[in-house]
Amino acid sequence: MHRIAITQAHYHPQAREFLQRRRTQGDTKTESIRALKRRLSDVVYRALQADANIIHDPAVTAAA
């Protein structure tokens, strides 16, 4: 997660905006990166859940 957050902080405009917004709200650099990592972990978890639901869906398994 750390590597993803740092990479996004450098290259992804939405991540940069998020970090800047957190900094203007009073977070330190460390706190804002931690918040970004939490957001990214939520995205990864939802993607894993979606994949798991597809694998365990009987309609998809029967069609294969």
Side-chain angles (χ1 to χ4, degrees):
M1 281 300 133
H2 180 75
R3 177 54 50 201
I4 296 169
I6 297 304
T7 301
Q8 283 207 350
H10 286 286
Y11 300 108
H12 196 265
Q14 290 174 331
R16 284 182 178 181
E17 291 170 11
F18 177 79
L19 291 171
Q20 185 60 38
R21 187 171 57 249
R22 294 293 299 223
R23 294 296 301 272
T24 58
Q25 292 174 352
D27 283 355
T28 64
K29 183 178 179 181
T30 303
E31 290 170 334
S32 60
I33 292 291
R34 181 193 51 78
L36 178 60
K37 287 192 283 189
R38 174 61 191 193
R39 233 170 108 145
L40 291 169
S41 70
D42 290 344
V43 170
V44 170
Y45 181 75
R46 283 192 301 271
L48 290 171
Q49 287 295 102
D51 287 347
N53 289 338
I54 290 171
I55 291 171
H56 296 301
D57 186 6
V60 173
T61 321

